[in-house]
Amino acid sequence: MLVSFVNSNIEHVGKTMWWSKRLAVQWLILKFCIGYGEIAAQNSSAVFDENGNLMIGLVVIHEREQPEVPALTSQAIRSFLAGTSGVSIFDYYIVYNREHVVFTDNPELCSAMNRGVSVIVDFTWTDSNRIMTAANNFNVPYIHADAFSQTFLKVMENYLRARGANDVVHIFDSTEAADSAIYFLITESQLRTIIFDRLSDTSIARIKAVRPYPSYFTITAKTSEMNALFRKATAHGLVLKPDKWNLMFLEPNTDGFEYHDLYPTMSRLMLDNSTCCMLLNLDSDCKCPAGFKPWEAHLGNVVTSVLEKIRLDQHPLLSQDDCSVDESANRSNNAYDIAKDLRMDARFWMPDGSRMLRYNMNVSIWTSTEEDNSDAIQLGTIEKGEVMPFDGQKIKPTKRYFRVGTAESIPWAYRKRDPLTNEIILNYVGEPIWEGYCVDFLHQLSKVMDFDYDLVSPEKGTFGMRDKAGNWDGLIGDLVVGEIDFAMASMKMTAEREEVVDFVAPYFEQTGILIVMRKPVRETSLFKFMTVLRLEVWLSILLAIVATAVMLWLLDKFSPYSAKNNKQAYPYECRDFTLKESFWFALTSFTPQGGGEAPKALSGRTLVAAYWLFVVLMLATFTANLAAFLTVERMQTPVQSLEQLSRQSRIKYTVVKDSDTHDYFKNMKNAEDVLYQMWRNLTLSSGNDQTQYRVWDYPIKEQYINILAAIESANPVPSAEVGFQRVNDGLEADFAFVHDSAEIKYEISRNCNLTEVGEVFAEQPYAIAVQQGSHLQDELSYYILELQKDRYFESLTAKFWNNSVRGVCPNTDDSEGITLESLGGVFIATLVGLALAMVTLAGEVLYYRRKDLKAKLVQVEPMNEGKKKDGKDKHSLTFKNLLNTADMKNNLNKVVEKKIPKEITIGNKFVPASEKQQKISYISVFPKNPVN
C-alpha cells in the first residue's frame, strides 16, 4: 500500500513541483509514518508542501465547444497567485463526454483523484447530475458555473415570464449559443421553446410553419450580428408584430443597431455599463473595454473566488488510488456551501431552484408603450434576474396571438377584389385582405378578448371533408393537426365534425337550404298591344275598312235616295260621301266618338249597321284579348317547393359539389335506399304476415333519389359564385340553384334578377370550431353570449342583409298594374298623330302663302292690249281668278272700270256691300266665261 501510494504521487509531484523526487519520496514516507492514515482513503486535513504552501488541486470540466476555458482558467489562476501567497495550485482540465454513463468511470477524473483534488468546477452547459454525483461520492466540493451565454437566456426568460409568455422562439447568432440554450431548456426553462441558430431559408420556413404560432420571438446576439439577423427576419415577413419581438444584446454598446427608431415597440434588453465595471472589479464609473464578454469575466471571478474559498477554509487535498466508491464513507454535498458563500457576492447570482452559479447583469429594458409612440423609453431594469419596472411604468404582456382559419363564402368571408379586374387585392406584406360577416365578428372578438390574429385559408379543401381513410381536409383537418387555433367561417355543426373537433355556442340564427331561381324575363315592347292580334287579323281589319269605305262611296253615288241624288228630299245641307269622306267615316267608326253623320239612303244605312256590328265585336275582342295577354305572363310563377321542383323536368337544378347541401341530398338518398331495403325485407320475410304490408305502390316517396339524380345530371358547380351565375344566365327561368339559405338571401338582396323559391328546410346553426379540449371553447362561448346580449349580431346582420339594392330594382309587383312598357306604343301612336297634324298644318300654311304670292305676280292690263298673235289675251282675267286673290276689291274695280262694256247696266264701278244702303245687299255676278 505504501509503495503504491508513493509511486502514484511521485509522478504527480515530479510534474507539478520544483523539488526533487528524492525529497518528495522522503516527505511522502514521513507523511505516511506520522499517521496520515491510509493514503488510499479520503483525507480529512489540508495538505501543505515542504515550503508550507497550501496545496490546491483544481479540476475544471468544460464542453468540447469551449476550447478557450483552459486558457481563461490558467489566466485566472495566475492572477490569483499574483495576489496571494502560501498557495500551490495544480489544475486539471477534462473535456466532458456525455457518452460515459457513470462519470466516476471517466479515466481523466480517476487520474485527477489519484493525484489529489480540492474542488471540482463545472463549466458545462447543463447541470449534470453525473458530475455532481461523482463529486459527492469522492466528497469533493463541487460548483457549477455558467461560462457562456446561458445567463442572457435566463434573464430573457424571466422578462418573458413577466410579460405572461407561454411559448417563444429563440434565435441565436451561432450554433454554439443554440446548443448551449438547448441544455438550459432541459434543466431550467418553463416555456414552450423552439431554438434556431441564425436564420437560413430552411429555418425561416420552419418558423412560419410553427403551430401554434409562437407568442414571442427573441434574438440573442452582438450588435453586428443583430443587424444581420433582424434585417433578414424583416425581409422574410417575420416581423409582422414588432411588439412580440425581444432583442438581447450581448454587449453594452448598441449604438450600431439600425432599427432602434423603426420598431420602437420592440423590447430591447441592453447591458448597463455598470455590469462591465462590476464583473471586472472596477470603479462604477469605469469605461467598458471593447470586446467585453461577461462570461469570460465571470469565469475568472468564479475561479478566483473558489480558490479563495478553498484557501480560507483550508479544504484538504483529497486523493484516491482508484475510482472505487466507499459506501460507508460519510459523504456531504459541499457544493451548496461554496455556492451559498459565493451568491452573497454582488457579482454572482444563483436563481432559486437552480444549481448553476450565474453572473449578475444590470439590464435596462427599452420599448415603446404605445403603437403610435415613435420614441422608446426605459421601462425598468433587471438585476439578478428580477424585473423591476420604474415608478409609473408597467411591463405589459403582449396580446395573445391566434391563427384563425376561414374559407371563402359570401357574405361570411371573402377576399377583397378589384371591382374592375376582379383580381385579389393584397396588403403591404402581400397577403389578401379579407372582408365579410365572420371577419367583422372576429375583429369584434379580438377587441373584447384582447388578442391578435391572422386569417389563413386551408391549403386543401374548404370547410372539411373526410376521405375513406378517415382523414379530414379543409378547416376541420387544420384543426385536427393544430395548424389553426380555431375556425371562423360559415361552418355548420354536424355529428361527423363533432367527432374530431368541438363547437362553441352558435353565433348565427338557424340557417338551412333554399332554392333560388331567376325571375322570368318578360319580353318588353312599346307596341305590345299590336301583338294581341295576329298580322292576318290586322290585315283583315284594314281590308274591311277599305272595302266599307269604297262600298259606302258607291252606294251614296248611285243610290237615287241618297242626299246627293235626292236634294228635294233634303233641302238642308247634308254630308257628301265622297271617297275621302267615306274613308274618314269608316276609320272614325272604330272610335267611341263614332263616324259622324250617316248616309241617308237605306242601302247605305244597312251597310253602316253591319259595319258597326263588326266594329263592336272587334273592339270587344281586342279589349278582352289585350287584358288577357297582359295578364297571362304576369301569372306565370316558378315552382313553389322542392317537391314541385323534383316532379318537373323543364327546370334543371344543382348544388355546389361536395358542399353541405350536396352531402344532405346524398344522406337523404342513402336513407331512402335503406328504408326501401328494410321495407322489401319486411314484406318478403316469410316470418311476417305479408298481408299487413301488402300495398300496390311503395309507401315511401323516392323523392331524394330523383333529386340527387337530377343534380348529378346537371353537373354540380365548383363554387356558389358559379351557381348564382348559371341562375342569372337562365333568362327563361329554366335553372335553379339549391344552396345555403343565408347566402341565397344575401345574393337576392343584391341581384334584382333572382328570387327565392319555397321555404327553408334542413336548418342547422353556424358555430365556431375549436380543437378538442381547447381552453378557448368556454372563453369564446362566454363572449359570444355577451355579444348576443348587447344585440351585436342584429346590427351585424343588418349590415350585410338589410343593406339591399332592392329599392332600385324595377317594380314587378302584380298589384301595381300594367307598366308603361306594355302600352307605351299607344302613347307613341297618339304622339305620332299629333306630329302628323302639325306637319299637315305647316304644309297648309306653306301652300297658302305660295299660292298668294303667285296671285300677286299677276299683272292686270286692258283687254285690247297685249294680245298674242293667235288672238288670245295672255293677261286675260276671269272672275274666278279675281276672287282667289288677296286684293280682290282692287282687282274688281279695275276690271269694272277697264273691261266691262258700257252697255252693261250694272254700273261701271264695283261698290262693296258695306258702302251701299242698308236696304240693298250686293249683287254677285259670276259669268260662265271671262268677260271680254
Side-chain angles (χ1 to χ4, degrees):
M1 181 69 70
L2 176 61
V3 175
S4 175
F5 175 79
V6 172
N7 290 336
S8 63
N9 284 274
I10 285 177
E11 180 181 359
H12 172 69
V13 173
K15 291 182 179 180
T16 58
M17 310 302 292
W18 56 271
W19 55 80
S20 64
K21 290 185 178 180
R22 181 177 180 180
L23 293 176
V25 171
Q26 292 177 355
W27 175 78
L28 290 173
I29 294 174
L30 177 63
K31 185 171 68 171
F32 179 81
C33 293
I34 63 176
Y36 193 74
E38 181 71 22
I39 301 300
Q42 295 179 347
N43 295 295
S44 58
S45 60
V47 178
F48 297 89
D49 59 16
E50 69 277 7
N51 294 329
N53 295 326
L54 176 65
M55 300 175 63
I56 299 177
L58 176 64
V59 175
V60 176
I61 305 174
H62 62 91
E63 300 283 353
R64 190 183 307 276
E65 292 81 3
Q66 296 174 314
E68 70 280 3
V69 168
L72 294 174
T73 304
S74 299
Q75 181 180 352
I77 292 174
R78 290 193 297 269
S79 176
F80 175 78
L81 293 176
T84 305
S85 59
V87 177
S88 296
I89 302 173
F90 43 97
D91 47 344
Y92 309 94
Y93 301 97
I94 301 175
V95 177
Y96 185 54
N97 187 354
R98 291 181 174 80
E99 295 179 358
H100 292 288
V101 179
V102 180
F103 193 69
T104 53
D105 295 338
N106 189 301
E108 296 175 336
L109 178 61
C110 293
S111 176
M113 289 301 302
N114 185 270
R115 299 165 185 169
V117 176
S118 300
V119 64
I120 297 177
V121 180
D122 183 5
F123 287 122
T124 59
W125 290 336
T126 181
D127 192 359
S128 175
N129 290 327
R130 292 187 293 170
I131 300 177
M132 186 180 65
T133 301
N136 292 340
N137 289 335
F138 297 128
N139 205 22
V140 177
Y142 166 81
I143 191 167
H144 189 201
D146 180 22
F148 208 66
S149 58
Q150 283 190 2
T151 301
F152 285 92
L153 193 60
K154 182 64 176 179
V155 171
M156 175 62 77
E157 178 166 299
N158 288 353
Y159 173 68
L160 293 178
R161 292 180 62 189
R163 298 189 68 186
N166 292 316
D167 57 341
V168 62
V169 168
H170 287 296
I171 302 172
F172 296 93
D173 60 348
S174 64
T175 304
E176 292 78 13
D179 294 340
S180 172
I182 291 174
Y183 291 105
F184 164 78
L185 300 178
I186 295 174
T187 56
E188 296 191 40
S189 179
Q190 300 180 13
L191 302 179
R192 185 178 66 88
T193 306
I194 302 175
I195 293 178
F196 293 95
D197 56 331
R198 299 189 173 274
L199 282 176
S200 62
D201 294 339
T202 302
S203 61
I204 290 174
R206 292 177 61 189
I207 291 175
K208 291 182 177 181
V210 171
R211 300 294 179 271
Y213 201 74
S215 300
Y216 291 93
F217 296 84
T218 72
I219 300 180
T220 304
K222 295 184 293 186
T223 302
S224 58
E225 294 293 334
M226 186 73 74
N227 283 325
L229 291 173
F230 195 77
R231 187 183 303 113
K232 197 164 187 178
T234 304
H236 287 80
L238 295 179
V239 192
L240 299 179
K241 296 175 176 60
D243 60 313
K244 298 182 179 295
W245 284 77
N246 306 270
L247 310 183
M248 171 66 80
F249 293 88
L250 300 180
E251 53 194 2
N253 187 9
T254 62
D255 295 336
F257 185 58
E258 302 172 356
Y259 299 93
H260 279 299
D261 299 329
L262 293 179
Y263 298 96
T265 56
M266 288 190 306
S267 295
R268 283 157 290 168
L269 278 60
M270 299 179 288
L271 290 177
D272 287 339
N273 193 67
S274 60
T275 301
C276 178
C277 301
M278 176 178 57
L279 295 181
L280 293 178
N281 300 311
L282 302 175
D283 296 334
S284 59
D285 58 349
C286 72
K287 183 177 181 181
C288 191
F292 169 70
K293 295 181 179 180
W295 56 86
E296 293 184 359
H298 175 63
L299 185 147
N301 292 333
V302 169
V303 171
T304 55
S305 298
V306 168
L307 293 177
E308 182 67 18
K309 173 70 175 176
I310 297 297
R311 186 185 69 84
L312 294 177
D313 293 345
Q314 298 288 304
H315 279 287
L317 181 69
L318 302 177
S319 60
Q320 190 166 322
D321 59 346
D322 56 26
C323 286
S324 60
V325 178
D326 186 1
E327 297 294 341
S328 62
N330 184 17
R331 304 183 183 90
S332 62
N333 187 1
N334 294 317
Y336 178 78
D337 295 335
I338 296 178
K340 183 178 180 180
D341 293 338
L342 295 182
R343 70 186 301 178
M344 301 301 295
D345 193 329
R347 298 172 300 172
F348 303 120
W349 162 47
M350 181 174 285
D352 295 337
S354 174
R355 298 174 180 176
M356 180 176 285
L357 186 67
R358 304 189 181 280
Y359 44 93
N360 185 22
M361 296 188 302
N362 294 330
V363 179
S364 58
I365 306 170
W366 292 80
T367 187
S368 174
T369 57
E370 302 293 340
E371 291 290 341
D372 56 351
N373 187 1
S374 58
D375 297 328
I377 60 175
Q378 185 176 358
L379 296 182
T381 59
I382 302 176
E383 297 180 6
K384 288 191 175 183
E386 183 180 357
V387 181
M388 296 180 293
F390 292 155
D391 293 339
Q393 300 295 339
K394 184 179 180 180
I395 306 298
K396 296 182 179 180
T398 187
K399 293 182 179 180
R400 292 178 295 172
Y401 173 80
F402 300 123
R403 286 174 57 87
V404 182
T406 190
E408 275 198 300
S409 58
I410 298 175
W412 305 103
Y414 52 91
R415 296 177 178 89
K416 188 175 181 180
R417 297 177 181 270
D418 189 290
L420 299 178
T421 62
N422 201 36
E423 295 181 355
I424 297 176
I425 300 176
L426 305 178
N427 57 16
Y428 68 99
V429 294
E431 296 179 349
I433 301 174
W434 289 85
E435 295 179 333
Y437 182 100
C438 291
V439 178
D440 290 356
F441 175 35
L442 178 61
H443 182 68
Q444 182 66 20
L445 273 181
S446 68
K447 289 183 178 180
V448 297
M449 294 177 61
D450 193 28
F451 66 83
D452 287 331
Y453 64 90
D454 276 340
L455 275 172
V456 295
S457 57
E459 296 182 359
K460 181 181 179 182
T462 53
F463 300 102
M465 294 291 295
R466 182 167 56 183
D467 58 19
K468 296 180 180 179
N471 300 320
W472 288 84
D473 62 1
L475 295 177
I476 299 297
D478 289 346
L479 280 172
V480 171
V481 300
E483 180 70 19
I484 57 178
D485 297 294
F486 61 91
M488 175 75 75
S490 56
M491 183 180 297
K492 296 179 181 178
M493 300 173 61
T494 63
E496 294 82 5
R497 292 169 178 170
E498 286 186 307
E499 294 177 359
V500 293
V501 299
D502 291 335
F503 287 94
V504 302
Y507 64 84
F508 192 74
E509 60 187 9
Q510 292 284 97
T511 184
I513 302 175
L514 193 60
I515 305 170
V516 61
M517 293 181 62
R518 182 186 172 98
K519 297 177 182 177
V521 178
R522 299 175 181 176
E523 184 179 353
T524 59
S525 174
L526 294 176
F527 297 93
K528 180 173 284 188
F529 69 95
M530 296 293 295
T531 62
V532 175
L533 303 177
R534 293 182 177 272
L535 179 61
E536 57 269 21
V537 179
W538 285 113
L539 293 177
S540 299
I541 293 175
L542 181 60
L543 180 61
I545 293 174
V546 173
T548 302
V550 173
M551 287 296 297
L552 187 61
W553 171 64
L554 292 175
L555 291 175
D556 188 77
K557 182 177 180 179
F558 293 105
S559 174
Y561 296 100
S562 65
K564 179 180 180 180
N565 297 328
N566 192 16
K567 291 185 178 180
Q568 63 275 14
Y570 306 100
Y572 50 87
E573 184 178 1
C574 297
R575 185 174 185 178
D576 187 7
F577 280 89
T578 62
L579 187 59
K580 180 180 69 173
E581 285 296 323
S582 298
F583 272 104
W584 181 252
F585 178 85
L587 185 62
T588 55
S589 294
F590 264 98
T591 64
Q593 299 299 327
E597 184 181 355
K600 301 300 183 181
L602 181 61
S603 59
R605 293 187 177 186
T606 304
L607 175 64
V608 169
Y611 179 69
W612 281 348
L613 179 62
F614 167 76
V615 168
V616 170
L617 295 176
M618 290 304 302
L619 288 177
T621 303
F622 179 82
T623 303
N625 281 274
L626 178 63
F629 188 81
L630 296 176
T631 305
V632 65
E633 191 177 63
R634 293 149 53 88
M635 293 176 61
Q636 291 179 357
T637 56
V639 294
Q640 295 298 321
S641 65
L642 180 66
E643 183 177 358
Q644 294 180 10
L645 188 66
S646 64
R647 290 181 177 180
Q648 56 80 45
S649 58
R650 185 184 71 87
I651 302 175
K652 297 184 179 298
Y653 51 94
T654 190
V655 299
V656 176
K657 185 177 179 61
D658 296 332
S659 63
D660 294 338
T661 305
H662 199 184
D663 290 340
Y664 169 79
F665 289 113
K666 290 180 180 178
N667 295 337
M668 293 298 292
K669 183 260 183 185
N670 294 333
E672 288 184 344
D673 288 340
V674 172
L675 289 175
Y676 175 76
Q677 294 294 334
M678 294 175 62
W679 177 82
R680 188 182 65 175
N681 296 335
L682 183 66
T683 57
L684 299 180
S685 176
S686 59
N688 296 324
D689 186 2
Q690 299 181 9
T691 59
Q692 299 180 7
Y693 312 105
R694 187 174 299 162
V695 294
W696 183 260
D697 294 326
Y698 175 50
I700 300 177
K701 297 179 180 179
E702 296 181 343
Q703 177 180 352
Y704 291 97
I705 295 177
N706 299 330
I707 290 176
L708 185 61
I711 288 174
E712 298 297 339
S713 65
N715 296 327
V717 294
S719 65
E721 183 180 2
V722 177
F724 287 119
Q725 186 62 40
R726 288 186 63 180
V727 172
N728 194 59
D729 293 340
L731 301 181
E732 298 181 0
D734 56 354
F735 187 82
F737 183 47
V738 187
H739 193 55
D740 178 79
S741 60
E743 296 185 28
I744 284 179
K745 291 179 180 180
Y746 175 81
E747 193 68 23
I748 290 176
S749 68
R750 279 157 173 74
N751 192 333
C752 300
N753 298 328
L754 304 181
T755 182
E756 62 182 82
V757 175
E759 301 292 335
V760 179
F761 59 93
E763 292 184 333
Q764 287 179 301
Y766 281 148
I768 300 174
V770 299
Q771 299 175 11
Q772 281 191 340
S774 173
H775 66 283
L776 294 174
Q777 183 178 12
D778 294 337
E779 187 177 5
L780 287 172
S781 298
Y782 170 79
Y783 282 104
I784 288 175
L785 295 177
E786 289 295 318
L787 291 176
Q788 287 179 345
K789 289 195 301 183
D790 296 338
R791 305 175 71 90
Y792 169 75
F793 294 105
E794 295 182 12
S795 62
L796 196 59
T797 301
K799 174 182 177 181
F800 287 93
W801 277 271
N802 295 352
N803 186 17
S804 175
V805 297
R806 307 297 290 182
V808 299
C809 294
N811 193 355
T812 58
D813 190 1
D814 293 344
S815 62
E816 297 296 329
I818 300 173
T819 62
L820 182 62
E821 294 180 352
S822 299
L823 296 177
V826 178
F827 298 92
I828 293 178
T830 305
L831 293 177
V832 170
L834 295 176
L836 289 176
M838 297 303 297
V839 172
T840 304
L841 175 62
E844 290 177 344
V845 171
L846 292 176
Y847 176 77
Y848 176 77
R849 290 184 178 180
R850 183 177 181 183
K851 186 176 181 180
D852 184 46
L853 180 61
K854 289 182 178 181
K856 289 182 179 181
L857 294 177
V858 175
Q859 296 181 0
V860 180
E861 298 181 357
M863 297 183 64
N864 58 354
E865 297 178 1
K867 290 185 177 181
K868 295 183 178 179
K869 294 180 179 182
D870 55 2
K872 294 182 179 181
D873 187 359
K874 62 179 181 179
H875 298 295
S876 61
L877 296 173
T878 64
F879 281 99
K880 186 176 181 180
N881 291 335
L882 292 174
L883 292 175
N884 290 332
T885 64
D887 300 332
M888 181 179 62
K889 178 180 178 181
N890 296 332
N891 291 334
L892 287 177
N893 289 333
K894 293 178 181 180
V895 171
V896 172
E897 293 177 356
K898 296 182 179 181
K899 302 285 184 176
I900 300 175
K902 292 182 178 182
E903 55 270 11
I904 298 176
T905 60
I906 62 175
N908 58 2
K909 185 177 180 181
F910 179 80
V911 179
S914 61
E915 297 181 6
K916 293 186 177 184
Q917 297 179 1
Q918 297 294 329
K919 297 181 180 180
I920 303 174
S921 181
Y922 63 90
I923 299 173
S924 299
V925 179
F926 295 95
K928 187 174 182 180
N929 296 320
V931 180
N932 294 325

